[in-house]
Amino acid sequence: MRVLGIDTSLRSTGVGVVEAAGSRMTAVEYGRIHNADRLPLSVCLRRLDEGIRDVLARVRPEEAAIEDIFFCKNVRTAVTLGEARGVVIAACACAGVPVFEYAPRRVKQAVVGYGAADKSQVRRMIMRLVNLAEEPQEDAGDALAIAVCHLNRRTIVAALATESI
């Protein structure tokens, strides 16, 4: 199973592809789609769409996972994040890749075992889980964590389904 994790934002969207074979998880690819502050919204959204479509075509994940919407104090920030998420979800849908959403606390719980873990704890644990030699950039690390969260959820659901048979 190959999963694309996406930590969506307008200026720095993290992407991380994790492949699972049995209980072993490996990072296939990770990085970020970066947009400079000076670029207009429409250009950023187009570049985000192109970047996600490129990753989808290149690594061919079976599923994608993104971080769910969280509380935003600033309405403008919330709207911009919603627009970026819409682009990401649409790009995945056009490629026929189903998208699953996870709350930030659930991602931390799945990776570290504690829903209020800090980002550095999450990145260090991701290094161990997907066998990385060095700590990934923050957005890329978050994307890998989202992919790992989804793979863990799939494993639990499959185990429960087997139990009920």
Side-chain angles (χ1 to χ4, degrees):
M1 169 61 63
R2 189 174 273 197
V3 174
L4 169 61
I6 307 165
D7 180 35
T8 309
S9 86
L10 185 66
R11 301 294 173 189
S12 183
T13 292
V15 292
V17 180
V18 177
E19 189 167 82
S23 63
R24 182 184 165 126
M25 290 184 276
T26 307
V28 174
E29 178 178 308
Y30 58 95
R32 68 184 180 137
I33 301 165
H34 179 70
N35 283 307
D37 290 341
R38 65 181 177 1
L39 292 175
L41 175 66
S42 59
V43 172
C44 292
L45 294 174
R46 179 182 50 83
R47 289 173 48 126
L48 181 55
D49 178 63
E50 290 169 352
I52 294 297
R53 286 177 188 263
D54 177 60
V55 172
L56 290 166
R58 197 173 55 256
V59 299
R60 302 208 178 279
E62 294 154 89
E63 297 175 345
I66 65 173
E67 198 168 72
D68 204 355
I69 294 175
F70 56 92
F71 178 75
C72 288
K73 292 179 184 176
N74 184 316
V75 173
R76 174 174 256 158
T77 301
V79 169
T80 301
L81 178 59
E83 291 169 333
R85 282 173 41 85
V87 165
V88 166
I89 292 168
C92 291
C94 287
V97 176
V99 178
F100 299 84
E101 300 178 53
Y102 297 95
R105 289 183 71 80
R106 187 164 190 186
V107 173
K108 292 175 182 180
Q109 178 76 35
V111 173
V112 179
Y114 177 57
D118 65 44
K119 287 184 174 273
S120 65
Q121 288 176 298
V122 174
R123 281 196 310 279
R124 284 193 307 272
M125 184 58 79
I126 282 298
M127 288 176 62
R128 290 189 198 121
L129 292 172
V130 298
N131 198 25
L132 297 178
E134 58 186 47
E135 192 171 301
Q137 183 272 342
E138 186 174 327
D139 300 311
D142 289 348
L144 289 168
I146 294 164
V148 166
C149 174
H150 180 64
L151 287 165
N152 285 344
R153 182 198 144 286
R154 289 184 103 264
T155 302
I156 291 167
V157 168
L160 291 173
T162 304
E163 241 178 58
S164 65
I165 293 178

